[in-house]
Amino acid sequence: MNGRHRRPLLAVGAVLTLLLSACAPDSVAGWEPRQWSVSGSIVRSPAPTDPGHASTLDMRLQNDDVDIDARWASLPGAPAFNTAVEAVVRAAVQEQVVVSGRPYRPTAHPVGAGLGERGCAPGSTTAPAAEVLGERTGTVVVCEIVLARGAMFGERIRVLTARSGGAVDDTSTTIYTDAATGTVATDTQLFTDPAALWPAYIDTLRRDAGSVSPLPVGPPTDAQLAVFEDALAHAELAAGEIVIPVPAELTARELDGLAAWRERSLEHPPRVALREPQTSGALSPVGEELLAAEGVFTGQPSAGAGFEHVPCDLVPCMALTLDDGPSSLTPQFLDVLRDEHSAATFYMLGQNAQSHPDTVRRVAAEGHEIGNHTWDHSYLTGLTDAQIGSELGQTAVLLRELSGQAVSTFRPPGGYVNDHVVGIAGQPAVLWSVDTRDWEHPSDDDLARYAIETPDVSTIMLMHDIQAGSARVFAEVVAGLRDRGFSLVTVEALFGGTVPGGIVRHGPLV
Ligand code: NI
């Protein structure tokens, strides 16, 4: 047939249709248009949705003895969540202890190790394993913040282990918390009835592939459900939507005849977004809470590194101590510590605390530890018992009043101390294992190099926040130490919370 004949025929057809419809009955009693089930929608954007923003304490450990490189993030004010996240890292470390046959001890690295780069990296839990592992052997732990909305926060942790013969173990866990209540849940606890989501999920996929089938989606086989549950473990829940990835292993009877769907999937890996009413009945209470999470993250912002728990059995820790202040230079030191998420211990003189009360309050408010360095820097071993009591007692009263802290250790000026002095003080005397001798005014370069290169795990290092040279190099020193892998904590934290009695010079792991 060619075009010359087609047009008259179409015209005749139209006239016939008009005539016929004019004689047709008004309607068929009881007939209604087909009711399509409410379908989900397909999300093809490759980037994950904006997870929101929360201030985290970024962590890192790299240990060559057992061959592990781990990055994770702690959430300020969420101890149960942080314990759960740490447990994943601890399990990965323990696995490497078994594999390597070596004990685990936190270790620091040489200058320039690049370990200042910490915490989670976008895309690292979804990138191909080979990309994340790179040239590295052993175990690599990476993380990604997947949710920070309302009171809800979620972090996915991925553990990759290179096995001999090129095989890779690759497991991910997402841990969620309600920052308002402290409740913690993992991705396996969000869904009470995963199979309830299956029909809408498969229906959305088959329609996207062009199917107009009106048949209901049948239940999944056990194997299909297992694949689907794995996809649910990587689902994003927020703002009323569950966005579920489509794994390569997914099969369903309803997708069998649709050759196109697999090709489309490979070209643009789709995710399926489901909302009410498709999601109803499938979620646990915490799952419903995640689904409802909206708006900016309302969890506690970081109140200062000194308030945060740092696991010094897992990451290499050391303590910076700053003596003889506070002074007009002290705020510069505090700014650096705040910017580098680090804590320090300030051994203060009573007479200087009296003239800089606001600085004492700021030191305490930012989570740093305050210790007693006597009223006027007297050498205690040359004093009478009454004088020792007065030097330390007067100072302790003022520091406690200004800081609200217990002020539970002292540092004897010049390091002059004996058991008799410790007995009168009634608290531990904290000395040091690395002395920067910043009071001898070395060149800035020499001071910075010494302060960065010398410390080891559990070092207590002495500097002075009255020395202009130390103020000038402090940012470089803190960054340099973090780059070597150190977490900078208070003296108390170095000992896990309680400093042992007597005279101490370094932390417990040396
Ligand atoms: Ni001193």
Side-chain angles (χ1 to χ4, degrees):
M1 193 190 266
N2 63 41
R4 229 168 356 122
H5 294 116
R6 191 183 292 147
R7 210 171 289 121
L9 276 175
L10 280 174
V12 170
V15 169
L16 276 172
T17 306
L18 279 171
L19 287 172
L20 285 171
S21 54
C23 334
D26 284 348
S27 64
V28 176
W31 186 89
E32 278 183 13
R34 181 177 305 287
Q35 293 296 305
W36 290 96
S37 58
V38 181
S39 178
S41 54
I42 293 283
V43 182
R44 290 196 195 277
S45 59
T49 51
D50 174 17
H53 296 282
S55 151
T56 54
L57 186 64
D58 295 340
M59 308 295 289
R60 176 81 180 263
L61 74 80
Q62 191 177 69
N63 189 283
D64 297 335
D65 290 339
V66 305
D67 206 357
I68 185 167
D69 184 351
R71 297 171 62 143
W72 72 101
S74 293
L75 185 66
F81 171 82
N82 294 335
T83 302
V85 171
E86 254 173 53
V88 176
V89 179
R90 286 181 191 283
V93 167
Q94 192 49 41
E95 182 84 19
Q96 286 304 101
V97 165
V98 172
V99 169
S100 67
R102 293 177 176 170
Y104 180 79
R105 279 182 56 178
T107 50
H109 291 255
V111 172
L115 297 171
E117 202 185 306
R118 299 174 186 203
C120 299
S124 62
T125 65
T126 50
E131 209 172 279
V132 179
L133 278 170
E135 298 297 301
R136 290 177 290 193
T137 56
T139 288
V140 173
V141 180
V142 290
C143 65
E144 205 160 343
I145 308 303
V146 296
L147 174 73
R149 296 265 178 239
M152 305 305 288
F153 182 83
E155 177 175 341
R156 181 175 302 138
I157 308 162
R158 181 186 193 186
V159 180
L160 290 157
T161 303
R163 299 287 180 207
S164 54
V168 176
D169 289 353
D170 186 353
T171 57
S172 292
T173 312
T174 308
I175 300 173
Y176 296 95
T177 190
D178 179 337
T181 64
T183 312
V184 174
T186 64
D187 49 62
T188 58
Q189 295 169 302
L190 307 185
F191 301 95
T192 49
D193 185 9
L197 294 168
W198 173 265
Y201 179 74
I202 296 300
D203 192 40
T204 305
L205 284 172
R206 75 174 168 183
R207 283 202 214 174
D208 180 58
S211 166
V212 291
S213 170
L215 296 172
V217 173
T221 64
D222 288 351
Q224 288 168 341
L225 186 60
V227 170
F228 183 53
E229 284 177 342
D230 196 50
L232 283 178
H234 289 82
E236 298 157 41
L237 288 76
E241 233 174 32
I242 306 178
V243 182
I244 311 165
V246 179
E249 311 79 41
L250 180 79
T251 60
R253 188 168 50 81
E254 290 76 10
L255 300 172
D256 275 353
L258 301 171
W261 96 271
R262 179 73 63 194
E263 283 140 38
R264 290 171 66 103
S265 301
L266 290 175
E267 200 178 333
H268 304 283
R271 291 175 295 147
V272 174
L274 303 179
R275 310 179 67 88
E276 278 289 348
Q278 302 148 348
T279 56
S280 91
L283 291 155
S284 68
V286 66
E288 292 285 0
E289 234 189 308
L290 286 173
L291 194 63
E294 261 184 297
V296 294
F297 182 61
T298 54
Q300 191 178 318
S302 179
F307 289 112
E308 301 306 328
H309 169 70
V310 176
C312 291
D313 60 331
L314 209 49
V315 297
C317 291
M318 61 169 285
L320 277 176
T321 55
L322 297 159
D323 284 16
D324 296 1
S327 76
S328 56
L329 295 173
T330 306
Q332 295 178 38
F333 290 83
L334 289 170
D335 290 351
V336 170
L337 291 167
R338 181 197 56 210
D339 295 347
E340 294 280 351
H341 307 284
S342 296
T345 303
F346 292 78
Y347 283 102
M348 296 182 177
L349 296 177
Q351 63 182 14
N352 287 351
Q354 196 170 42
S355 38
H356 297 90
D358 287 342
T359 304
V360 180
R361 292 187 194 101
R362 182 181 163 192
V363 168
E366 296 184 3
H368 306 294
E369 184 182 354
I370 293 173
N372 192 334
H373 199 40
T374 75
W375 188 264
D376 56 7
H377 215 263
S378 295
Y379 292 163
L380 297 173
T381 46
L383 302 184
T384 66
D385 291 3
Q387 287 170 323
I388 295 168
S390 162
E391 278 283 344
L392 293 173
Q394 220 186 329
T395 306
V397 167
L398 176 65
L399 291 179
R400 284 172 186 152
E401 184 192 305
L402 289 174
S403 70
Q405 286 191 8
V407 188
S408 55
T409 67
F410 78 106
R411 170 165 285 167
Y416 296 108
V417 71
N418 54 34
D419 291 344
H420 183 68
V421 168
V422 173
I424 295 172
Q427 51 182 214
V430 177
L431 300 182
W432 53 85
S433 53
V434 172
D435 182 356
T436 57
R437 302 181 79 83
D438 53 353
W439 44 273
E440 287 181 335
H441 307 296
S443 74
D444 287 359
D445 280 353
D446 285 349
L447 175 58
R449 192 181 312 117
Y450 186 81
I452 294 168
E453 288 178 359
T454 316
D456 204 341
V457 177
S458 263
T459 285
I460 296 176
M461 184 158 78
L462 169 60
M463 298 182 87
H464 295 84
D465 55 328
I466 56 166
Q467 292 296 340
S470 278
R472 283 194 301 271
V473 302
F474 196 61
E476 185 186 346
V477 168
V478 171
L481 291 170
R482 280 174 58 81
D483 189 80
R484 292 186 55 202
F486 284 113
S487 284
L488 305 178
V489 300
T490 64
V491 170
E492 273 189 357
L494 193 62
F495 287 96
T498 308
V499 182
I503 300 168
V504 300
R505 292 182 169 80
H506 50 71
L509 290 169
V510 170

